[in-house]
Amino acid sequence: QKEVEQDPGPLSVPEGAIVSLNCTYSNSAFQYFMWYRQYSRKGPELLMYTYSSGNKEDGRFTAQVDKSSKYISLFIRDSQPSDSATYLCAMEGGSYIPTFGRGTSLIVHP
Amino acid sequence: DGGITQSPKYLFRKEGQNVTLSCEQNLNHDAMYWYRQDPGQGLRLIYYSQIVNDFQKGDIAEGYSVSREKKESFPLTVTSAQKNPTAFYLCASRQGGPEPQHFGDGTRLSIL
């Protein structure tokens, strides 16, 4: 079993939908959780960073962490075609070397 | 603007040839990282450096080499020993500790 599991998709939704992206993990030492967005042929761009259980909101994006279930989520409200990209989750513990999920490909169609 | 610059954007390697990928950052970050990204495989760590003149192997270091002579620079050499070098290579940096990484826009390496 991989340390971080992420469904590669693709996930296809209509414009305006609420998108839910998820990762599960097995290492209970993970304390810091990140979501990155990666457009084709570009580097990942940091979207959200959190180090505690609960929710963190930034504009249309909400990151949710449930450490008891070892489950993290990224919600995108009012999705736009420009949100079409690959979304990578990442997490790390005391080693300060992040472990990345494989990424989920999101397609938002007009 | 502060950021991470990777060059070239595209690179072609001939059989038996070593090639060097450049990574420069002006964020004054202590730590720098090299990742390889293959379709459907996520990011795999090649090498990382947490301080000048020191670096450690990651999960897939075989066939690669690095140097860290300056804080702002962390070049990656893909040697002829790397038999499957075709991939998207990403450089990242961060200040240290648990701060999140910031990435460059990558170099795509292909075999001629």
Side-chain angles (χ1 to χ4, degrees), chain A residues 47-60:
Chain A
L47 282 178
M48 301 289 280
Y49 172 60
T50 183
Y51 53 86
S52 61
S53 286
N55 293 353
K56 181 178 181 179
E57 190 173 315
D58 184 0
R60 295 186 296 113

Side-chain angles (χ1 to χ4, degrees), chain B residues 70-102:
Chain B
K70 298 186 294 182
K71 186 175 185 177
E72 60 269 24
S73 179
F74 191 40
L76 173 74
T77 296
V78 183
T79 75
S80 57
Q82 173 49 247
K83 297 306 178 188
N84 184 23
T86 297
F88 190 49
Y89 290 87
L90 287 161
C91 178
S93 72
R94 69 175 173 188
Q95 181 55 42
E99 292 297 312
Q101 294 175 329
H102 299 268

Side-chain angles (χ1 to χ4, degrees), chain A residues 2 8 88 100-103, chain B residues 36-44 84:
Chain A
K2 284 181 178 289
L88 300 163
F100 287 83
R102 291 194 301 165
Chain B
R36 171 178 171 142
Q37 188 174 36
D38 296 280
Q41 296 225 23
L43 301 183
R44 292 186 289 169
N84 184 23

Side-chain angles (χ1 to χ4, degrees), chain A residues 21-92:
Chain A
L21 303 165
N22 311 296
C23 288
T24 59
Y25 62 96
S26 57
N27 188 343
S28 57
F30 288 148
Q31 303 172 52
Y32 307 98
F33 305 91
M34 292 143 281
W35 284 97
Y36 289 87
R37 177 176 62 195
Q38 186 177 22
Y39 292 114
S40 181
R41 299 185 181 86
K42 291 286 195 177
E45 170 195 9
L46 181 68
L47 282 178
M48 301 289 280
Y49 172 60
T50 183
Y51 53 86
S52 61
S53 286
N55 293 353
K56 181 178 181 179
E57 190 173 315
D58 184 0
R60 295 186 296 113
F61 299 93
T62 299
Q64 188 174 80
V65 174
D66 182 348
K67 288 186 179 179
S68 62
S69 300
K70 296 188 179 67
Y71 188 89
I72 69 170
S73 300
L74 178 70
F75 298 96
I76 307 175
R77 290 182 298 280
D78 187 24
S79 57
Q80 303 296 310
S82 58
D83 293 326
S84 298
T86 296
Y87 290 80
L88 300 163
C89 66
M91 48 198 78
E92 65 184 78

Side-chain angles (χ1 to χ4, degrees), chain B residues 6 14 25 28 37 41 43 55 57-59 64 66 84 90 92 96 100 106 108:
Chain B
Q6 290 189 243
K14 295 179 182 178
Q25 55 99 357
N28 200 33
Q37 188 174 36
Q41 296 225 23
L43 301 183
F55 49 82
K57 294 181 179 180
D59 300 320
Y64 301 96
V66 293
N84 184 23
L90 287 161
R108 185 164 299 278

